[in-house]
Amino acid sequence: MIECHCILPIYKDVKPTIYHKFVTYSKIDESSKIIPKYVNCNNCGITHYVYEICKSDIKVGKEDIKSIRTIEDLSLNLPDKLIKILEKHDCSIEDYELIEDILDQEVFPSELIINREIIDEEHHIKLLKINSSKKFKIESEVIKTIVR
């Protein structure tokens, strides 16, 4: 999670100030360090240089730089079936990056939570299971959050 300097409208009058946070997908190199990259805030568009887990530097004066890969760019590398699933569930760019990495590195089987809801103290999740580059499955699970 990266913290931006922007504030969501619902938090504008909250003290102390609650800044917007957003999820990014990062890769780890052979020495277990984050491979640095630039990302745009999904709220205000300001560009961040992500260099460590949960750490970034804001690049002042740079908003929505076009050299950062977008969902449309990542979709070129994914099978149509997967794109349809990700679009239907309104998945974010970090989900597309994860799926691309799973397919490129052939990390099978893998899972991605594409929907989560809490109903009566239980987490209801929908999982996208990726068993190979051509074999996918969607399953639902219930996770109890309170043990009695």
Side-chain angles (χ1 to χ4, degrees), residues 37-127:
K37 71 175 188 175
Y38 290 95
V39 298
N40 292 323
C41 173
N42 61 354
N43 183 52
C44 71
I46 195 80
T47 301
H48 291 252
Y49 177 68
V50 180
Y51 59 90
E52 204 171 302
I53 294 175
C54 298
K55 292 187 180 179
S56 72
D57 290 332
I58 292 173
K59 295 300 174 185
V60 179
K62 298 292 181 186
E63 291 86 23
D64 285 324
I65 61 172
K66 303 300 179 211
S67 59
I68 293 174
R69 295 192 317 158
T70 63
I71 287 176
E72 292 78 21
D73 298 331
L74 293 160
S75 294
L76 294 172
N77 305 323
L78 303 178
D80 288 338
K81 262 170 85 171
L82 273 179
I83 294 168
K84 287 178 186 174
I85 292 167
L86 296 172
E87 286 174 345
K88 180 180 178 189
H89 292 90
D90 200 26
C91 291
S92 302
I93 190 161
E94 65 275 3
D95 298 324
Y96 283 76
E97 289 175 301
L98 172 63
I99 297 293
E100 179 188 52
D101 210 23
I102 288 169
L103 295 175
D104 286 350
Q105 301 301 317
E106 298 182 348
V107 184
F108 307 122
S110 290
E111 297 178 349
L112 170 67
I113 295 174
I114 54 176
N115 194 314
R116 177 190 324 246
E117 298 171 309
I118 299 173
I119 303 170
D120 297 330
E121 300 175 353
E122 294 178 333
H123 286 262
H124 295 256
I125 60 173
K126 188 182 283 188
L127 289 170

Side-chain angles (χ1 to χ4, degrees), residues 121-138:
E121 300 175 353
E122 294 178 333
H123 286 262
H124 295 256
I125 60 173
K126 188 182 283 188
L127 289 170
L128 169 59
K129 294 190 171 195
I130 304 169
N131 297 313
S132 75
S133 62
K134 295 181 179 169
K135 193 171 178 185
F136 322 111
K137 186 176 186 179
I138 294 179

